Amino acid sequence: MNKLQGKIAVITGGSSGIGLATAQRFVEEGAYVFITGRRQAELDKAVALIGRNVTAVQGDVSSSEDLNRLYEVVEREKGCIDVLVANSGIVDPTYLNDISVEHYDGTFDINVKGLLFTVQKALPLIRDGGSIILTASIAATKGIPGYGTYSATKAAVRSFARTWTLELQDRGIRVNSLSPGPVDTPIMESQASTQEQVDQLKASFAKAVPLGRLGRPEEIASAALFLASDDSSFVAGIDLCVDGGMAQV
Ligand code: NAD
């Protein structure tokens, strides 16, 4: 219960789903967490749920100003970061024929540009020996109709983990990506307009998973804890898939 005792963590998209479960787990393990998200009301709920050792900073990862403000707060309150989880992301299923510039820019701005600058701007605060976890997706290695843009963003994220592992090796900072399979979070609801469609989507994903079900956010949080803690002290540059086998068989 103390794998992150005294550690400072920043989790983008920590107000919901996988990020929220990760924030809860990190605090249980002794960390102080900063969470971000776009909606203040969601952040307030998350802070109440986490209960202690948490600061919420509202902001959009695709905005440089918002990221600067986030790290100003972290620097003022704690002075450094031990673990960064760059987790914010969106999915907007769209088939190739229907892809617009707005769809492309919107997805890449958050999932790729936002993640890149989340990490770049954190670097002066990240302690040598720290851990950076990038939330990718098994969609990066699968062909899923309608997920072309999303999958491409996640392939970029997985690629960043390789390059940054080498660029940060002198500081002993480990960079890894974490690729969930389908997980039951609000991102599922965001992809459909009726409850019936949401249920259909979840059922079709569950069918594609060898373990026969969706993952739970807590199961991804356990993997994030592994990558954040000394349990993974010799693990760098990997993509850790937590997907019930979906992309493995
Ligand atoms: P979610 O919708 O519950 O959480 C997404 C989080 O990202 C929210 O906190 C939201 O506020 C935040 N966010 C979105 N856009 C943002 C922006 N512009 N600026 C700041 N924050 C922003 O979904 P989730 O399933 O918990 O997703 C978390 C991550 O996991 C995402 O990167 C997603 O792509 C990835 N992922 C999810 C699944 C899944 O099936 N749930 C599978 C693979 C990968």
Side-chain angles (χ1 to χ4, degrees):
M1 292 294 277
N2 57 0
K3 289 190 175 201
L4 297 178
Q5 197 58 47
K7 303 283 188 192
I8 311 299
V10 172
I11 303 171
T12 64
S15 60
S16 167
I18 291 166
L20 175 57
T22 302
Q24 287 179 291
R25 187 68 196 275
F26 281 14
V27 168
E28 281 166 22
E29 297 286 341
Y32 191 98
V33 301
F34 290 84
I35 57 170
T36 77
R38 284 167 306 179
R39 290 158 301 171
Q40 189 62 50
E42 295 299 310
L43 282 168
D44 291 344
K45 275 191 232 159
V47 166
L49 208 63
I50 297 166
R52 65 196 158 102
N53 292 340
V54 56
T55 298
V57 184
Q58 187 276 335
D60 185 329
V61 290
S62 63
S63 154
S64 254
E65 294 74 34
D66 286 4
L67 286 174
N68 291 340
R69 194 166 40 78
L70 163 67
Y71 292 126
E72 277 162 24
V73 173
V74 176
E75 183 167 24
R76 195 169 57 239
E77 290 194 11
K78 296 291 178 187
C80 67
I81 298 169
D82 296 292
V83 180
L84 172 63
V85 186
N87 168 76
S88 286
I90 58 159
V91 57
D92 172 23
T94 308
Y95 283 75
L96 177 57
N97 259 329
D98 301 321
I99 289 175
S100 62
V101 171
E102 290 72 26
H103 159 84
Y104 175 90
D105 285 346
T107 309
F108 270 82
D109 271 1
I110 295 173
N111 293 8
V112 181
K113 187 184 92 175
L115 179 136
L116 188 158
F117 289 105
T118 293
V119 174
Q120 187 210 59
K121 287 174 182 288
L123 288 178
L125 290 177
I126 297 182
R127 269 212 273 244
D128 289 0
S131 171
I132 299 175
I133 301 163
L134 312 176
T135 307
S137 167
I138 59 150
T141 57
K142 299 283 284 181
I144 308 173
Y147 280 59
T149 319
Y150 177 75
S151 298
T153 65
K154 295 303 188 177
V157 170
R158 195 280 170 259
S159 172
F160 285 151
R162 296 186 200 277
T163 306
W164 296 345
T165 291
L166 291 174
E167 291 190 2
L168 298 174
Q169 64 180 342
D170 291 347
R171 297 183 53 193
I173 296 172
R174 298 181 298 109
V175 186
N176 294 287
S177 64
L178 173 53
S179 280
V183 179
D184 198 354
T185 72
I187 215 169
M188 292 283 169
E189 275 76 29
S190 77
Q191 298 174 60
S193 38
T194 65
Q195 189 55 44
E196 199 186 347
Q197 286 172 349
V198 173
D199 293 343
Q200 274 171 6
L201 183 74
K202 289 185 182 180
S204 71
F205 274 131
K207 216 171 139 195
V209 173
L211 294 186
R213 63 173 175 84
L214 301 185
R216 295 186 296 274
E218 300 75 29
E219 293 174 308
I220 311 304
S222 294
L225 175 63
F226 169 70
L227 292 176
S229 72
D230 287 344
D231 283 352
S232 61
S233 53
F234 200 49
V235 177
I238 69 159
D239 182 43
L240 177 55
C241 294
V242 185
D243 66 347
M246 183 173 168
Q248 316 310 316
V249 295

